Amino acid sequence: MELVDLISLRPVPCAGVLLMLTQRCPLHCAHCSTASTMAGPQTDAAALRRLVDSFGPENRPELVMFTGGEPLLRPGLVTELARAAAARGVRTALLSGMFFARHERVAPHIQEAIRSVDHFSASLDREHEREVPRAEVLRTLATLLDDGMAVSLHLTGHGADDPYLAEVTAQVRREFGDRVPMLVNEVRAVGRATSWATAARIVTGPDEASESTPDRTRVLPCAMAAWPVVAADGTVLACCGQDAVDRRPAPEHLLLGNIADDDWPTLRERAMNSPELRMIRALGPLHLRSRFGDGDAGPDDYCAACLALPQSTDLPAIRAFGAGPAGELLDRHATRTQAEAGPVALMRRFGCAKYAELVAPSGVSSGVSSGVSSGAPGGPR
Ligand code: SF4
């Protein structure tokens, strides 16, 4: 399963689920806003098993993504969950900081965990290279490629013109050609738990950089509200943004439940049918504030506006609008539009636009259905 396949599913509600297996990480990257340390909490393994066991033939995501912290600190759990997911027809992907690449040999239980997933992605950036040398990361990726694994790199830089990004992407193209697709993001206060196929910076319009006055009423769907995210304390949110994942109590309009109590059908039903989530996915928070709230007042920042929706808007009015057939239709339309635009267009908006095409280098094409051709968000149920 290639990177382009994963990103093709990203705008489809409940086509994927992000499982944060731990908030622990042995690395000390300066920019890691999850503040992951070896003292961080571990997600309850039994609850994770129950969640995966609750996937049914007609009601399951297409993809489970393992994140952290560093998910390979729990290699046995990765292997177990990946096999359980595969037995239910669900594919898996994993994002790692590759702490193990610092050693000559990769421990057998980590190798087994990596080989149990359908896609392996390594995160890399300037700060990260102080912890794990780039040469070791690329050497390990080469070994995985030789073994037939689908791999990718998740790169982060300080803006589109960061020379680091130009240099590392050129090296990867030189050494691997099209065999290692790259998802390029820009640094902001997000950590690895939320950075997999998600937004480092949500661009509020294609020509935002040249606009002196951004249009604060524009309809801008949020694809990042499409997949449930399981945080380390078991809380399940509709949003992968670090602010939402970390905030307790969780923002009520983004809260789906907790894996201690809720199975996949329950979480999916809430995610698909929540009127306010439909409206965030379909119209975006700035338009909702403009239409149902205090107009153009409040933060310009897309996600800050979203987190403030309960205070800045008439949330019951949003719910009333999103609960009807119009809300469902708008949600379907936004999903279809974003899926049809394709993964490169999605990354132009949710990643670093200059490098968006690297998610789908020539010769690597999406082999998955977005599940929206029939107009049914979510693909498999
Ligand atoms: S707009 Fe809302 S749902 Fe979307 S990423 Fe931002 S905080 Fe999350």
Side-chain angles (χ1 to χ4, degrees):
M1 184 177 207
E2 296 290 350
L3 179 65
V4 70
D5 302 322
L6 312 185
I7 298 176
S8 296
L9 292 171
R10 195 63 184 89
V12 184
C14 294
V17 57
L18 288 140
L19 303 186
M20 186 176 181
L21 300 190
T22 178
Q23 208 172 333
R24 294 185 188 175
C25 181
L27 305 183
H28 308 89
C29 301
H31 64 280
C32 180
S33 76
T34 62
S36 295
T37 69
M38 288 306 284
Q42 307 258 57
T43 317
D44 181 71
L48 288 165
R49 288 185 195 104
R50 283 198 303 275
L51 179 68
V52 174
D53 286 346
S54 72
F55 298 163
E58 302 299 323
N59 193 340
R60 58 174 173 78
E62 288 198 34
L63 176 74
V64 170
M65 301 180 67
F66 301 119
T67 72
E70 171 53 67
L72 286 174
L73 286 176
R74 307 184 82 182
L77 184 61
V78 169
T79 304
E80 182 187 350
L81 294 177
R83 288 178 180 162
R88 288 158 180 78
V90 178
R91 286 175 291 183
T92 49
L94 182 144
L95 175 67
S96 171
M98 295 189 73
F99 68 96
F100 51 86
R102 295 182 290 195
H103 306 291
E104 183 84 7
R105 287 176 55 80
V106 179
H109 55 301
I110 291 180
Q111 286 191 39
E112 186 181 25
I114 293 172
R115 289 187 168 83
S116 72
V117 300
D118 297 293
H119 186 92
F120 178 84
S121 187
S123 60
L124 199 60
D125 54 63
R126 193 182 282 109
E127 290 78 10
H128 185 272
E129 290 194 25
R130 295 190 188 111
E131 300 278 324
V132 186
R134 185 191 311 173
E136 303 304 329
V137 170
L138 299 187
R139 178 180 57 80
T140 307
L141 289 184
T143 303
L144 295 175
L145 278 171
D146 289 346
D147 287 352
M149 277 211 70
V151 304
S152 62
L153 271 170
H154 187 126
L155 304 171
T156 307
H158 294 271
D161 297 325
D162 185 343
Y164 171 80
L165 289 178
E167 190 251 324
V168 70
T169 53
Q171 180 183 352
V172 172
R173 294 306 294 269
R174 232 177 13 253
E175 293 192 16
F176 295 103
D178 291 340
R179 296 197 304 158
V180 179
M182 290 170 268
L183 187 159
V184 181
N185 263 331
E186 298 171 29
V187 169
R188 71 162 199 174
V190 296
R192 218 174 293 130
T194 60
S195 59
W196 223 123
T198 183
R201 169 177 171 270
I202 296 183
V203 177
T204 53
D207 55 350
E208 180 197 55
S210 63
E211 286 184 14
S212 56
T213 312
D215 181 356
R216 295 164 137 221
T217 67
R218 188 182 291 166
V219 169
L220 290 166
C222 182
M224 298 303 132
W227 292 4
V229 180
V230 177
D233 65 355
T235 303
V236 187
L237 296 122
C239 165
C240 55
Q242 197 66 50
D243 286 349
V245 171
D246 286 346
R247 195 171 289 201
R248 297 292 179 275
E252 59 168 312
H253 59 306
L254 301 176
L255 179 64
L256 296 176
N258 193 298
I259 57 171
D261 307 310
D262 301 312
D263 60 10
W264 174 254
T266 304
L267 295 168
R268 184 185 184 282
E269 198 276 331
R270 288 177 189 154
M272 297 298 293
N273 297 321
S274 157
E276 55 266 47
L277 285 178
R278 281 179 178 168
M279 293 297 89
I280 290 168
R281 291 192 294 255
L283 303 176
L286 294 176
H287 181 79
L288 289 176
R289 188 180 62 193
S290 152
R291 186 162 170 178
F292 294 98
D294 46 15
D296 290 352
D300 272 335
D301 181 87
Y302 190 75
C303 291
C306 182
L307 293 171
L309 282 179
Q311 295 77 43
S312 64
T313 61
D314 182 358
L315 205 52
I318 294 176
R319 286 181 177 138
F321 185 67
E328 188 177 356
L329 202 64
L330 283 170
D331 194 14
R332 287 176 185 273
H333 177 73
T335 301
R336 187 181 302 114
T337 303
Q338 292 178 95
E340 286 174 358
V344 172
L346 197 75
M347 291 318 300
R348 277 201 190 101
R349 179 156 172 247
F350 290 99
C352 181
K354 181 176 177 180
Y355 295 99
E357 292 183 1
L358 295 182
V359 299
S362 58
V364 179
S365 60
S366 173
V368 297
S369 159
S370 67
V372 292
S373 56
S374 64
R381 290 172 168 268

